[in-house]
Amino acid sequence: YAMLLSLIFLIVLVAAIVGFVFRHEIKTNFESNLELALKDYNVTADRHSEAVNTIQRTLHCCGVQNYSDWERTEYFSQRGIPRSCCKNQNDCSQEDLKDPNKAKLKVFVDGCFFLVTSAMESKMSVVAGISFGIACFQLIGIILSCCLSRYITNNQYEMV
């Protein structure tokens, strides 16, 4: 049992170290994937487009760096900026969304990349605290299982 807990503890420790070391690569990868999702937005109405809509509605943001990122997409040339960027859904017309100058007043101007990464970084302390607590319980379990094993081994000869 102690060996199993030790193995799980080491796996969690290695995962935490790898996550910390490669956090910049994770950010870069997320940014490139978000840009790709904007480029392919609503081409096939897939889950990536739904994810972009959810992020933009939830975090009140638009585009990767700002709302003008949509101007470089094929979707913008056909329909303008998506409605998920609108501050007020009732006050966003298709004509406003096709004109970048009018859209600036109707949509969220902040980009989603900074908001998503800052939200993740702000939650990292909570995740780290929970992980530390779980690791402490695992270490206590390892120590107690070793003590129990030694106790059983020592008392085995006295019973006979």
Side-chain angles (χ1 to χ4, degrees):
Y1 184 70
M3 294 302 287
L4 179 66
L5 278 179
S6 299
L7 181 66
I8 293 171
F9 177 75
L10 288 175
I11 290 171
V12 170
L13 184 66
V14 167
I17 291 170
V18 167
F20 181 75
V21 169
F22 292 113
R23 69 185 182 280
H24 298 296
E25 285 82 4
I26 293 169
K27 279 184 177 181
T28 305
N29 193 10
F30 174 71
E31 184 176 20
S32 63
N33 284 333
L34 189 58
E35 288 171 354
L36 185 62
L38 257 63
K39 182 179 161 240
D40 296 337
Y41 181 80
N42 226 12
V43 173
T44 57
D46 60 354
R47 59 189 169 102
H48 297 288
S49 300
E50 247 338 284
V52 169
N53 285 334
T54 302
I55 289 171
Q56 290 182 151
R57 268 191 229 106
T58 305
L59 296 177
H60 304 291
C61 59
C62 190
V64 179
Q65 301 300 329
N66 57 35
Y67 77 100
S68 64
D69 292 335
W70 284 103
E71 294 176 36
R72 297 184 297 273
T73 65
E74 189 175 324
Y75 182 84
F76 181 81
S77 61
Q78 296 170 358
R79 299 184 193 161
I81 297 173
R83 292 187 64 80
S84 59
C85 285
C86 292
K87 293 177 184 175
N88 184 355
Q89 294 293 323
N90 300 329
D91 189 29
C92 250
S93 68
Q94 194 75 27
E95 295 78 29
D96 291 340
L97 294 174
K98 285 185 177 182
D99 181 11
N101 295 325
K102 289 181 184 177
K104 184 177 184 177
L105 302 172
K106 305 269 182 174
V107 300
F108 302 113
V109 293
D110 296 330
C112 294
F113 174 71
F114 176 74
L115 291 174
V116 169
T117 54
S118 64
M120 286 177 11
E121 287 173 354
S122 69
K123 305 292 185 223
M124 287 306 256
S125 60
V126 173
V127 171
I130 291 171
S131 299
F132 180 73
I134 291 171
C136 287
F137 278 118
Q138 285 178 329
L139 286 175
I140 291 170
I142 292 168
I143 293 168
L144 290 177
S145 64
C146 288
C147 290
L148 180 62
S149 172
R150 191 170 33 163
Y151 178 76
I152 290 172
T153 305
N154 289 342
N155 287 339
Q156 183 178 7
Y157 297 111
E158 293 176 11
M159 286 185 192
V160 177

